[in-house]
Amino acid sequence: MLFNSFAFLVFLPIFMLGYWSTRGRARLWVMFAGSLVFYGWWDWRFIFLLLISAIVDYTIGIVMENETDARRRKRLIVMSIAVNLGFLGFFKYFNFFVDSAARLSTSLGLNVTYDALNIVLPVGISFYVFKTMSYTIDVYRGTQKAERDLLKFATFVVFFPELVAGPIVRASLMLPQLKNDHPFRYERMVSGLTLIAAGYVRKVVVADSIARLVDVRFAAPEAQTPLSLLIGVYLYAFQIYCDFSGYSNIAIGLARIFGFDFGINFDRPYFSRGFSEFWTRWHISLSSWLRDYLYIPLGGSRGGTWFTYRNLLLTMLLGGLWHGANWTFVIWGALHGTYLIAERLISPYYRRIVAKLRIPAVVSNAFLIFVVFHLTCLAWVFFRAQTFAGAWHILGKIASLRALNLPGIGDKTLIARSVLMIAVLLVFEIAEYFPMKRKATLAVRPGETVTTGAPTPEVSPAWRLAFIAACVWVVLIFGSFKGNTFIYFQF
Amino acid sequence: MRDARRAALWLLALLAVTVAGDRILASVLSRIALGSQFRFAQLYRAGTDADIVILGDSRGVHTFYSPDIEQKTHSRTLSLAYNGMSTVVAEAILLDYLDRHAPPKMVILEVTSLQDDLQLMTELRTYTNLSPRLRTLYTVAHPRAAAIGRVFNLYPLNSDFFSESLRCYRRSDQDWIMRTVISPELVASPRGPWIIRPRQQSLDALQRMAALARAKGITLRVVLAPYHPSGMPKDVPVFVAAAERALKAGDPGQHVWNYIGALHDDRFFGDRVHMNYDGSRELLAILERDRFFDLPHHAS
């Protein structure tokens, strides 16, 4: 079920009625059953996969906690990871790896033929597999107590707001919140609805409007001028940002209404002054997951310079592959890994130059934001293109710098409208920047845990009412009602 | 309980503000949209009569450049053609035009619109409050969206036409035409079989348009504009024959002015199916040569 679908408009009030009219275990059952309906609306068969994943990790968690023998505990955690990655590997990567192996064999002169399996990718598998994996790893490390209540654990796994496209809410954050009933709170409802309204504006007004312009450019780049393609790349940067952050806003807002705190998942990433900062602002729940369960176990920055670079690159390569079974995602990850390494190499010299030339901080920051944004856009080309050749074609055409004139562009009004909407979004983000404390970003620095709630500025209910009404009007006039799916559903 | 009561009151207030704002904003924005120089605002605002009216889909837009036609013919020309306009919609537009303006001397229709569906109604919903004909078509094409539009007055303004109305508030959009030249890559890239098929509803509409034009003394010119050689559709004779049958059923003196292969050079095309400005000028010269703009005695 999509948040921007008619079915969800019907589902949500029914769920709310069931949720607020029950208590204790009955409420857990409502959450569990409602979430399965939400998930099964897409394809009910994959409910079983979801439940198997939950039951396996629930069982392993308890057995592992009871086990005192270190070797057996290790075996159990390996089993949990193998099952989770096995699901992911089969449903998401099987054809990709077989196809890649066949291509490699062909290039080595071996004649290999194979039939690709017709595998449907279960929605949200990458998200819930990471969620349950982090739980068993935490139990193994002893930082999380195993959950003995199956219903509670299953509800944690399937809770619908964040089930299919994140944020990846960890057990340490969610399970304690499932211990008690959350009474209805007026303030939570108002602030949750504010987030949801803002999320819908991002998704159906900004992202979906931009999608029309982006799709046509990436589908047939040969029919576009270089300037038109360049505009398409810039627009895609904002499409994916608004699409995914919009989804996160809606998910976090829904959870807030029901009494849960998920933390934040985006924090104005395009204002980052470096890539290490970017990754503490973009898809925070994933980047902190990769840091805690991949980068640090690989050795993090403890093994010297070259090991750090290797770990960064490996983490980003696998982070890229997490997004999809395509080499374009791997290249996207490799680019970000390279950016992180380059940043570590260059930043001491850059700081020295800035100090020596006495460049004002505002100029230096603006320059860094400009550079980071453009390098991010370069990587987005690989993320969005279907093939490496397609991405290369687009970049080559843009680099040719031919026909950089506006008359060659046919959809100027739509572009102008999109630019206006992006400008409004950025004004809101800049305005938000000043009064807010930076706690949310700081909370995901290495070694810290993900924050349980972003500090929200005190805004009166009257202002929130005006804001939500304005969002409704904007959605009515400028929203797309075609039920476009969220980009991150495919991951 | 106190929280629930506060929430209920707050939600009621939200509903009231949202609905009131919807009505007020929709009223203001509709007036702004109608005051624009955008082609359809000109249509629904009285006082802008034209001698020549152009209808059709995107091929009509990029074939007939009204400023040049105006210059050549010394007749006020208004293009009401738009991307995706089907003949069914063109008929409704023509009837709405005749309700609000003096009959034009000539109506030009690019006949490829026979294959289009009612997709353009998503855009034309902006004017459904001004035209019962468009409202009917919109309800047929998008029943659920039409229902939403009855609840929220702002929703019908959710279209590219509204944005276009704002963009063209002070300047006319009649100078809209492709200015680029088809790229060699596009010419060289392969294209699958391409067939144009008329829709029966559109053929019926064409027949009614021919009869209406005859009854009102309007000269109707039905034209098949050039395609780029690499985008030439199959089954053109079948398409033209169907169009001519419908035309003649409405007015026996009618025929299709077929220029499908009139231009060949790449420089006359913006892409495979659309001419550019140079192509439009070239075709205009051919039309003049063929006395296309000459009016029969009964219509002059």
Side-chain angles (χ1 to χ4, degrees):
Chain A
M1 206 180 283
L2 294 170
F3 284 161
N4 55 337
S5 68
F6 185 72
F8 185 70
L9 275 182
V10 177
F11 166 82
L12 188 61
I14 297 170
F15 180 84
M16 280 179 157
L17 195 68
Y19 184 84
W20 295 120
S21 60
T22 51
R23 284 178 175 198
R25 292 194 72 74
R27 182 177 282 184
L28 278 180
W29 276 111
V30 168
M31 289 169 74
F32 176 70
S35 298
L36 292 187
V37 170
F38 177 88
Y39 189 75
W41 203 261
W42 164 70
D43 191 332
W44 62 270
R45 291 169 302 174
F46 288 112
I47 287 175
F48 298 108
L49 189 70
L50 182 63
L51 292 180
I52 290 168
S53 174
I55 290 168
V56 166
D57 286 316
Y58 166 79
T59 313
I60 289 178
I62 292 172
V63 175
M64 198 154 51
E65 195 173 62
N66 293 340
E67 185 59 65
T68 49
D69 184 83
R71 272 169 45 199
R72 283 192 191 154
R73 282 171 62 83
K74 201 164 204 169
R75 249 180 264 152
L76 285 165
I77 189 63
V78 169
M79 190 197 296
S80 165
I81 292 171
V83 169
N84 283 304
L85 292 184
F87 283 154
L88 201 57
F90 177 74
F91 285 100
K92 194 164 177 176
Y93 301 109
F94 183 82
N95 282 334
F96 168 68
F97 284 127
V98 171
D99 179 63
S100 299
R103 281 173 193 228
L104 184 67
S105 307
T106 308
S107 67
L108 294 173
L110 301 168
N111 188 19
V112 177
T113 56
Y114 76 102
D115 290 322
L117 296 181
N118 185 20
I119 300 170
V120 179
L121 179 68
V123 165
I125 189 169
S126 307
F127 290 92
Y128 70 71
V129 158
F130 267 37
K131 191 158 72 169
T132 53
M133 245 166 68
S134 69
Y135 163 76
T136 47
I137 294 170
D138 285 349
V139 172
Y140 174 75
R141 288 172 174 171
T143 56
Q144 167 73 41
K145 276 187 77 64
E147 178 56 57
R148 306 271 159 173
D149 184 338
L150 177 59
L151 177 62
K152 211 167 270 177
F153 183 77
T155 305
F156 148 67
V157 176
V158 305
F159 190 37
F160 78 87
E162 38 87 36
L163 174 59
V164 289
I168 304 167
V169 181
R170 299 192 201 177
S172 56
L173 181 66
M174 184 68 180
L175 283 174
Q177 298 186 61
L178 284 170
K179 300 279 180 209
N180 303 309
D181 278 342
H182 300 281
F184 178 81
R185 288 277 176 265
Y186 164 70
E187 287 80 10
R188 292 193 76 88
M189 184 203 74
V190 173
S191 73
L193 282 178
T194 310
L195 263 180
I196 292 169
Y200 275 112
V201 169
R202 280 171 186 250
K203 168 63 182 162
V204 300
V205 176
V206 187
D208 288 351
S209 301
I210 293 174
R212 291 164 60 188
L213 297 163
V214 171
D215 289 350
V216 72
R217 284 166 171 77
F218 277 84
E222 66 280 358
Q224 304 292 329
T225 65
L227 182 61
S228 175
L229 287 174
L230 184 62
I231 289 169
V233 172
Y234 283 138
L235 289 177
Y236 181 65
F238 287 98
Q239 184 203 345
I240 190 163
Y241 172 48
C242 291
D243 191 285
F244 194 21
S245 65
Y247 185 92
S248 293
N249 271 1
I250 297 169
I252 294 165
L254 281 168
R256 190 172 287 180
I257 291 174
F258 296 125
F260 297 90
D261 285 316
F262 282 178
I264 58 168
N265 209 20
F266 288 87
D267 183 24
R268 290 152 285 180
Y270 291 144
F271 288 106
S272 303
R273 290 156 298 177
F275 283 93
S276 47
E277 186 184 343
F278 178 85
W279 282 105
T280 59
R281 288 163 166 250
W282 179 276
H283 200 173
I284 295 167
S285 63
L286 174 70
S287 51
S288 62
W289 196 102
L290 291 172
R291 182 197 67 212
D292 293 344
Y293 300 102
L294 193 58
Y295 177 68
I296 292 173
L298 279 170
S301 55
R302 296 190 299 272
T305 309
W306 290 108
F307 271 104
T308 305
Y309 295 164
R310 184 205 68 172
N311 296 339
L312 279 171
L313 198 57
L314 269 176
T315 304
M316 294 316 295
L317 280 173
L318 290 170
L321 194 60
W322 175 88
H323 284 86
N326 196 328
W327 287 108
T328 51
F329 291 116
V330 179
I331 291 163
W332 174 79
L335 277 172
H336 273 280
T338 310
Y339 294 160
L340 286 167
I341 294 167
E343 182 182 314
R344 282 178 179 242
L345 284 168
I346 295 167
S347 60
Y349 300 103
Y350 178 78
R351 274 198 293 270
R352 247 179 268 162
I353 292 166
V354 167
K356 201 167 186 179
L357 298 177
R358 292 182 184 172
I359 297 170
V362 66
V363 176
S364 166
N365 287 343
F367 172 72
L368 289 173
I369 289 170
F370 178 85
V371 171
V372 170
F373 175 70
H374 280 81
L375 289 173
T376 308
C377 286
L378 172 72
W380 284 137
V381 175
F382 290 94
F383 195 91
R384 176 61 179 80
Q386 298 295 317
T387 59
F388 180 75
W392 202 241
H393 177 81
I394 289 169
L395 289 174
K397 201 159 178 180
I398 291 171
S400 75
L401 298 174
R402 279 188 291 110
L404 289 177
N405 54 340
L406 274 174
I409 296 165
D411 36 19
K412 284 196 268 293
T413 309
L414 259 181
I415 292 171
R417 203 176 93 172
S418 303
V419 170
L420 181 71
M421 287 189 287
I422 291 167
V424 171
L425 173 87
L426 292 179
V427 166
F428 264 92
E429 295 213 335
I430 291 168
E432 211 177 272
Y433 187 85
F434 290 104
M436 274 188 60
K437 293 142 256 173
R438 308 298 304 148
K439 279 182 198 160
T441 310
L442 296 176
V444 287
R445 274 184 180 167
E448 293 181 24
T449 53
V450 176
T451 179
T452 55
T456 45
E458 284 307 314
V459 182
S460 74
W463 275 112
R464 287 185 186 274
L465 185 147
F467 177 78
I468 295 170
C471 285
V472 173
W473 300 329
V474 169
V475 167
L476 282 169
I477 305 175
F478 297 114
S480 166
F481 291 84
K482 290 174 185 151
N484 292 17
T485 186
F486 289 85
I487 293 174
Y488 265 66
F489 272 27
Q490 63 185 293
F491 307 139
Chain B
M1 203 58 204
R2 192 171 154 267
D3 270 31
R5 202 179 311 124
R6 281 177 77 194
L9 283 173
W10 187 86
L11 286 171
L12 274 176
L14 175 64
L15 187 69
V17 170
T18 306
V19 171
D22 170 74
R23 299 313 191 247
I24 294 165
L25 269 173
S27 165
V28 172
L29 294 176
S30 297
R31 277 165 200 253
I32 291 172
L34 200 60
S36 162
Q37 300 305 305
F38 182 51
R39 58 192 63 200
F40 295 107
Q42 289 194 49
L43 159 64
Y44 289 105
R45 193 178 59 228
T48 47
D49 296 350
D51 300 314
I52 300 173
V53 170
I54 298 159
L55 295 166
D57 59 13
S58 57
R59 284 170 41 78
V61 171
H62 300 293
T63 299
F64 298 104
Y65 186 61
S66 49
D68 279 3
I69 295 174
E70 219 164 60
Q71 199 182 27
K72 292 274 183 194
T73 61
H74 306 291
S75 306
R76 191 174 184 284
T77 307
L78 177 66
S79 176
L80 294 173
Y82 208 89
N83 298 353
M85 180 184 281
S86 79
T87 314
V88 174
V89 175
E91 183 198 15
I93 293 289
L94 177 61
L95 288 166
D96 280 352
Y97 181 90
L98 293 174
D99 285 349
R100 290 163 178 79
H101 306 267
K105 290 174 185 160
M106 179 180 285
V107 170
I108 301 171
L109 174 72
E110 208 295 323
V111 76
T112 327
S113 60
L114 282 173
Q115 60 169 346
D116 293 306
D117 57 15
L118 293 178
Q119 204 183 346
L120 188 64
M121 287 315 302
T122 313
E123 303 301 332
L124 277 167
R125 68 180 168 211
T126 298
Y127 302 103
T128 47
N129 60 338
L130 299 168
S131 163
R133 290 186 190 95
L134 291 188
R135 201 178 309 137
T136 308
L137 287 176
Y138 183 53
T139 308
V140 169
H142 306 283
R144 191 189 282 178
I148 297 173
R150 281 193 288 275
V151 178
F152 295 107
N153 292 0
L154 279 173
Y155 184 66
L157 295 171
N158 182 330
S159 71
D160 289 346
F161 279 13
F162 177 64
S163 309
E164 285 294 323
S165 298
L166 298 183
R167 187 180 72 86
C168 303
Y169 194 74
R170 291 197 183 279
R171 57 174 292 271
S172 166
D173 71 332
Q174 293 291 311
D175 62 346
W176 175 28
I177 196 160
M178 273 197 184
R179 306 266 176 187
T180 51
V181 178
I182 188 169
S183 69
E185 289 164 291
L186 191 61
V187 173
S189 63
R191 174 168 199 172
W194 167 245
I195 296 166
I196 46 173
R197 282 210 185 93
R199 291 169 187 266
Q200 189 53 50
Q201 274 181 314
S202 288
L203 288 170
D204 297 342
L206 182 63
Q207 180 184 330
R208 288 192 298 270
M209 283 173 80
L212 175 76
R214 190 182 185 203
K216 295 261 182 192
I218 301 166
T219 300
L220 177 66
R221 296 280 193 241
V222 178
V223 183
L224 183 55
Y227 277 86
H228 186 271
S230 72
M232 195 62 74
K234 315 267 183 239
D235 275 355
V236 173
V238 176
F239 180 85
V240 173
E244 290 206 321
R245 267 197 307 278
L247 268 175
K248 286 183 192 301
D251 177 359
Q254 277 288 352
H255 72 281
V256 174
W257 296 64
N258 188 349
Y259 292 97
I260 194 159
L263 302 177
H264 302 95
D265 204 310
D266 287 357
R267 67 192 164 95
F268 294 136
F269 292 89
D271 58 35
R272 282 174 163 140
V273 293
H274 301 110
M275 288 192 293
N276 57 19
Y277 178 60
D278 289 343
S280 164
R281 284 176 70 93
E282 191 70 12
L283 184 71
L284 188 57
I286 297 171
L287 294 176
E288 273 193 297
R289 185 199 66 199
D290 293 351
R291 308 179 72 83
F292 179 89
F293 293 102
D294 288 2
L295 296 172
H297 292 299
H298 74 270
S300 55

